[in-house]
Amino acid sequence: MNQSNRSLITLEELSKADILQLLDNAAKFEACPNRKILDGKIVATLFFEPSTRTRLSFETAANRLGARVIGFSDAATTSSTKGETLKDTIMMVSNYSDVIVMRHFLEGAARYASEVSPIPIINAGDGANQHPSQTMLDLYSMQKTQGHLDNLNIYLVGDLKYGRTVHSMLTAMRFFNPTFHFIAPKELAMPDVYKQYCNNNGIKFVEHTDFNRDVIAGADILYMTRVQRERFSNLDEYEKVKDAYILHNDMLEGSKPNLRILHPLPRVNEISQDVDNNPKAYYFQQAKNGLYVRQALICNALNINVD
Ligand code: CP
């Protein structure tokens, strides 16, 4: 972690012990989510981009721990529309709160905020860059469903170019000897910089453009992602790839018994509704796990002992 002010910007800053400790703390919150250990604390949630799960689960996490929440879900209602800089916004909000959870459309905005902020910043997603709290709940979900994080075959499907959740996952999994399978149309392939990251860190990966029953037969985790319309400057390009891969229930015949299907959500149509009742579908429980993980992350940022 950026221990100078306890911000969480990327999982690159966490050691294996940090990650395992946070997951352990999340399990404690799952066992007992209502604890008034943040009485008197103020958590600010600044969302410059839309969100359902991340904002509401962070706010629920704060409320369940006895903190109070301030912030905004629509930057159009703030003085940023009058030209106030991100630095000045952060300086103002740090006058009123103890920790800032921020989502921003610009890559690097969270890093910048952490450099100017006197209080911890938790990155709730910065453009197509990183989404560390999502990855922590993904890891929690994998550990819970597989019993461990080691040696997993993880298949990442869809928008691997702009998908910040898959970028964060590569970083976090470097300690656990995964084998990744990158399944994407060539327009949305995993960027070279992340493949280089895998090579530098001994992370095995295989690339595919086909998405079918045979390709996914070896998966322990099938991590579906949405093609993100909002990241395309040319909507014709989006139309070309938006329905590239759709998971149907019959594609899961012959899959491994331990397979679980994850998705950071929201989904559009990349997972057919007929998958929802398959016991291997785990995406709604995965989103619920976000509450416990975010309780652990807020406590960590505030240096609050969970025990
Ligand atoms: N997974 C995720 O970040 O969802 P939201 O955009 O709804 O927060």
Side-chain angles (χ1 to χ4, degrees):
M1 274 161 255
N2 177 349
Q3 293 297 338
S4 59
N5 70 359
R6 304 194 71 81
S7 290
L8 177 61
I9 306 306
T10 161
L11 294 174
E12 190 67 37
E13 296 155 353
L14 269 60
S15 67
K16 183 175 183 179
D18 291 333
I19 289 173
L20 293 175
Q21 182 65 62
L22 285 165
L23 297 178
D24 199 38
N25 288 348
K28 292 175 188 166
F29 284 120
E30 181 168 7
C32 180
N34 293 314
R35 309 180 191 193
K36 301 301 178 201
I37 56 178
L38 296 188
D39 190 30
K41 300 291 186 188
I42 306 282
V43 176
T45 56
L46 311 187
F47 278 68
F48 292 87
E49 258 193 349
S51 166
T52 296
R53 278 146 293 274
T54 309
R55 185 176 65 83
L56 293 179
S57 61
F58 264 117
E59 294 187 357
T60 305
N63 281 310
R64 287 200 183 280
L65 295 175
R68 291 178 181 239
V69 178
I70 62 168
F72 55 82
S73 57
D74 179 1
T77 64
T78 72
S79 288
S80 63
T81 59
K82 303 174 196 164
E84 186 159 56
T85 64
L86 179 60
K87 176 183 176 182
D88 287 3
T89 301
I90 294 295
M91 294 305 290
M92 290 309 101
V93 177
S94 69
N95 285 335
Y96 313 137
S97 60
D98 299 292
V99 56
I100 294 174
V101 178
M102 186 180 84
R103 171 171 291 185
H104 203 283
F105 48 87
L106 287 179
E107 295 171 28
R111 167 80 56 209
Y112 174 73
S114 76
E115 287 169 359
V116 299
S117 176
I119 65 171
I121 302 286
I122 300 177
N123 181 6
D126 60 325
N129 188 28
Q130 297 276 317
H131 194 347
S133 70
Q134 175 68 46
T135 296
M136 288 304 300
L137 77 89
D138 295 341
L139 263 58
Y140 187 74
S141 300
M142 289 194 269
Q143 188 184 54
K144 208 168 141 181
T145 60
Q146 306 297 314
H148 59 87
L149 289 172
D150 296 309
N151 309 317
L152 295 175
N153 294 303
I154 303 174
Y155 288 55
L156 306 176
V157 183
D159 179 358
L160 308 188
K161 180 177 181 183
Y162 299 114
R164 57 194 174 198
T165 64
V166 296
H167 301 158
S168 282
M169 188 184 293
L170 298 181
T171 312
M173 288 305 292
R174 70 195 185 281
F175 299 119
F176 302 103
N177 192 36
T179 300
F180 280 106
H181 290 253
F182 300 151
I183 306 178
K186 63 178 181 353
E187 295 88 343
L188 297 176
M190 186 63 78
D192 287 342
V193 63
Y194 291 106
K195 288 192 276 188
Q196 192 58 50
Y197 180 86
C198 289
N199 289 332
N200 292 346
N201 287 277
I203 299 172
K204 299 179 285 298
F205 66 88
V206 183
E207 292 189 272
H208 311 260
T209 50
D210 288 337
F211 179 52
N212 57 45
R213 193 184 305 183
D214 294 336
V215 168
I216 63 175
D220 300 309
I221 295 294
L222 186 58
Y223 193 94
M224 301 295 298
T225 65
R226 174 177 66 97
V227 177
Q228 303 171 87
R229 187 176 186 276
E230 64 272 27
R231 306 277 176 235
F232 286 77
S233 50
N234 179 344
L235 286 184
D236 289 340
E237 294 300 315
Y238 167 73
E239 289 296 327
K240 262 192 250 170
V241 292
K242 72 181 170 65
D243 294 324
Y245 302 134
I246 299 176
L247 179 66
H248 294 284
N249 202 34
D250 59 9
M251 291 169 64
L252 299 170
E253 285 168 22
S255 59
K256 292 176 76 171
N258 62 306
L259 171 71
R260 290 297 177 272
I261 301 151
L262 304 187
H263 191 313
L265 304 177
R267 82 173 141 181
V268 182
N269 60 356
E270 58 280 0
I271 300 180
S272 168
Q273 302 272 339
D274 65 3
V275 177
D276 292 358
N277 294 327
N278 190 310
K280 294 176 179 175
Y282 193 73
Y283 27 92
F284 296 126
Q285 298 97 315
Q286 175 191 1
K288 185 174 183 185
N289 290 337
L291 167 61
Y292 315 123
V293 166
R294 287 172 174 135
Q295 289 182 297
L297 291 175
I298 292 171
C299 287
N300 183 71
L302 292 171
N303 205 13
I304 300 288
N305 188 339
V306 168
D307 296 312

